[in-house]
Amino acid sequence: MILVSKPYMPNLDLINKYLSQVHERSWITNNGPLVRELTSVLQDYLGVKNLILTANGTLALQLAYKALRIKGEALTTPFTFVATASSMKWQGITPRFCDIEPDTLGLCPQAVKEAFTPNTKAIVPVHVYGNPCNVEKFEDLSEDMKVPVIYDASHTFSIKYKGQSILNRGDASTISFHATKLFHTVEGGGIVFKDDEVFERARLMLNFGLGENAEDIVAPGINAKMSEVHAAYGLSVLHSIDEILSERAEVLSYYHQGLNGVVELPRWREGATQNAAYAPIIMDSENQCLKVLESLKKVGVVARRYFYPSLHHTSEYKSDWNDSCKNVTGIANRVICLPLYPGLEKHDVANIVEAVKEGCQ
Ligand code: T4K
């Protein structure tokens, strides 16, 4: 059976090397040396500062909203994983959904502008599949409307836009290091803050809001810390990051060659690098999409419909339905993400391409 993704399993000797350090020190969480080391090497590797590592990408979003003191409503996309919006609800923020650009599948700045009301307190675009949103337009909107922009950049590991890490855009950008992501810490995440003061506030919030001497509580805190064991995994995965990125890029390029002219692909933002985080294809119709999924299943392949149904068509988020999300409605039921992970064999990719073609007939 070939599934949509498979976690990268780092070298066991390497993990053991890090874990034996953890055992020797008997220091297994609470801002330990490995978390500090991973923070530092990731800042260098990604080209960012003010990075905070968290227990997962969902808590990264919650902490970002909290540190930026967002209350009220936030404009976001319904074409995303539920965590973008569920993290808002956990912070008492109401998500309001706006339409996406039909070609890049990112949140549409014009739709956000039109949906803006005095209750809008933040804009939360998602760089879906790692494809950057129109960050210049969102920066203009943020300045004009005087609200922060928080990017859900969960899929963007290593993505650069115009030569800079995409994580440097917005007031904050969050990322997921879940097992299914190209770089992972089993469970984990991170936030990059633009403002030093907000960063410092978030650092305190991450650890219960405890002050430096632990005898005072100086912020409304939570426990969102990454542990040493997770950092050990992250450091081990990072060791192979070049190989991971190049193997993923190779698989994606086989798909693109094999399916050229057969399916549509999202338009990748000009000026942005690719990271082959996902392999989305857009079918002509929902019917064709279902036929392709069936044809893949026959050859033992389980592809996934990320992100179907779009959030505004789910029971929990229906009440927030913005009627004007026409592009999302027309696209979410036609997208399939094909299996993509390092080690996926060339002949398996060829079989997947053939099965997609078969389903399209
Ligand atoms: N924002 C966005 C835009 C996101 O996409 C996500 C997460 C978040 C925020 C929140 O970040 P985290 O809190 O998760 O850090 C998966 C992931 O669990 C989730 O992290 C991810 N997005 C989402 C897009 O995909 P599922 O429900 O598809 O996971 P699951 O368990 O079905 O796994 C997918 C495939 O991977 C399966 O076919 C089997 C394979 N797999 C999975 C695991 C966990 C393995 O082979 N081994 C494994 O250990 O959500």
Side-chain angles (χ1 to χ4, degrees), residues 113-132:
K113 192 172 178 182
E114 286 165 15
F116 211 90
T117 74
N119 296 330
T120 305
K121 302 299 177 200
I123 304 170
V124 183
V126 180
H127 303 306
V128 181
Y129 311 130
N131 190 9

Side-chain angles (χ1 to χ4, degrees), residues 3 5 7 57-58 80-81 83 152 154-155 176 178 180-181 304 306:
L3 304 175
S5 93
T58 306
T80 182
F81 190 60
D152 181 339
S154 288
H155 306 163
S176 165
H178 181 260
T180 52
K181 300 295 187 291
R304 288 286 284 269
Y306 293 129

Side-chain angles (χ1 to χ4, degrees), residues 5-35:
S5 93
K6 193 173 184 177
Y8 179 79
M9 299 311 288
N11 180 288
L12 258 186
D13 290 339
L14 196 56
I15 299 178
N16 282 333
K17 188 193 100 185
Y18 285 113
L19 286 182
S20 56
Q21 291 175 22
V22 172
H23 280 232
E24 272 162 34
R25 280 191 289 261
S26 300
W27 193 275
I28 58 179
T29 188
N30 288 9
N31 197 27
L34 292 189
V35 164

Side-chain angles (χ1 to χ4, degrees), residues 14 35 48 65 71 80 91 111 115 190 192 197 214 227 239 241 260 266 283-284 321 356 359:
L14 196 56
V35 164
V48 299
Y65 303 142
K71 293 187 175 123
T80 182
Q91 292 309 125
V192 172
E197 213 175 294
S227 82
H239 200 77
I241 196 67
N260 187 19
M283 314 313 302
D284 283 347
W321 183 12
V356 172

Side-chain angles (χ1 to χ4, degrees), residues 329-346:
T329 303
I331 285 169
N333 59 8
R334 295 191 281 125
V335 178
I336 296 173
C337 285
L338 298 174
L340 178 55
Y341 48 85
L344 185 59
E345 301 284 347
K346 215 169 168 180

